[in-house]
Amino acid sequence: PDRAPLPEPPAAAVPEEASQLETWSQEDEDFANRAYEEFSALTDQQGEYPSVEALDITLADKHDVHHPRSTALLQQVMPQFKNLYAQRATADQTA
């Protein structure tokens, strides 16, 4: 239930022609899903959103989750993570 669907790459960050061709690899998708799980856990624990750097370090050091483009991917998906978390928190409060 807390699994986040993989966010699409933002169109503004990619040239228009490339945005139609760019797809997420399974490795990117797996990393983003695992990153969202950890993002949610850290936010629950700390009461605030973790920085890209803190999330990247936690994934690597505590969970042995690595990706060659981890920082770039996390920077790209962080706005979606915040939106998904806020939506979940709002839904939990109304339930």
Side-chain angles (χ1 to χ4, degrees), residues 4-85:
L6 181 67
E8 291 295 321
V14 181
E16 190 171 317
E17 317 80 58
S19 68
Q20 295 173 355
L21 302 175
E22 183 174 340
T23 58
W24 285 65
S25 70
Q26 186 63 46
E27 181 183 22
D28 291 353
E29 187 173 333
D30 291 345
F31 178 80
N33 287 330
R34 181 64 184 100
Y36 181 74
E37 291 172 14
E38 189 59 29
F39 171 88
S40 294
L42 288 171
T43 303
D44 289 344
Q45 290 171 0
Q46 300 171 353
E48 62 184 19
Y49 299 132
S51 67
V52 168
E53 295 79 14
L55 181 56
D56 198 12
I57 290 167
T58 300
L59 286 165
D61 291 351
K62 293 186 178 178
H63 302 287
D64 199 29
V65 175
H66 302 275
H67 189 285
R69 297 181 304 114
S70 61
T71 301
L73 286 175
L74 291 174
Q75 287 173 336
Q76 184 176 354
V77 298
M78 190 63 80
Q80 289 99 335
F81 284 5
K82 291 176 181 178
N83 286 337
L84 289 169
Y85 186 88

